[in-house]
Amino acid sequence: MKFKNTIKENDVTDEKLYKSRRDFLKSSASFGTGLMLSSTLTNSFEIDKYEKVDKFRGSDDELTSFKSASTYNNFYEFATSKDAPASLADSLKPEPWNIEVSGLANKTGVFNLEDLIPKQKIEERIYRFRCVEAWSMVIPWLGFKLADFLKQFEPQNNAKYVYFETLYDPEQFPGQHRRVIPWPYREGLRMDEAMNELAFIAIGMYGKKLPNQNGAPLRLVVPWKYGFKNIKSIVKIKFIDTEPLNSWQQIAANEYGFYANVNPEVSHPRWSQATERRIGGEFSLFNPRIDTKIFNGYGDYVADLYKGMNLTKNY
Ligand SMILES: Nc1nc2c(c(=O)[nH]1)N[C@H]1C(S)=C(S)[C@@H](COP(=O)(O)O)O[C@H]1N2
Ligand SMILES: [Mo]
């Protein structure tokens, strides 16, 4: 089914309206229709100037509230508690924002995010989000395919991995005064994972720009992997030929390796990953637990990437 939506951001500023729009779109969203809007993007980083195409509803579950998603955060650059990032986040200045692209690509250098975004088609994607700590959310992201974003730098054939770094600046990230992890936060994907249609760069959520505490101005969203792969506030992208060390391996190599695909059958050393708790509501600690699915339920899109790999070893 082909369906075109040209709903602009200012139609959806409040959450109630936002929800009713979701219901309206429920039947229309279908993945992979290949339908794109001819965009009328301007050269500025104002999310409401972009026309959006609704393309993927990757979960029919009720959305997590904006309030929960923007006040229950993991962002160690601010602090290690969940509620602190929201209250500390003003010190981050996400505009203007430069990204340094290096390594095995034809177009490398320092780019201003404002110059990179207008080339992208802004989509909305509703994805489940599963943290390794066994809680989860359902979030409507705004952004673009990581594949499209990376292709503009013309990665070379020998680029087998893409590596990302978060900003290091203790003035903007007070948590970096303490060395709770070896800063900067770093992550990576195998190139075919990065090119997968689900891999996404978010610059917004719930119809608005990304709140700082959620990783403004741009963060990775890979919904079949544990939350820690979803690196925030990216300033460096490097195309490389060997598997990079990500932050979680640096701090706890015995817990998770490079892939970190959601897998209910591979327990964390200290807890089971078979079930999860949906965040939401005042007493969400008491929400009933639900079953966790392999690849967070996105196996149809990503299982092929891991054919022939032992997923209990490559976790
Ligand atoms: N730079 C950076 N990125 C990060 C983190 C972090 O501490 N620093 N935490 C990760 C973890 S563990 C999770 S669960 C998600 C949380 O994203 P959210 O706060 O938007 O829900 O961000 C991930 N990306
Ligand atoms: Mo996480």
Side-chain angles (χ1 to χ4, degrees), residues 73-77 129 131 166 185 214 219 227 230 232:
N73 299 102
N74 270 336
F75 204 167
Y76 285 8
E77 282 81 348
F129 184 91
C131 174
T166 295
Y185 196 98
N214 291 86
R219 59 93 58 87
N230 297 249
K232 294 173 167 181

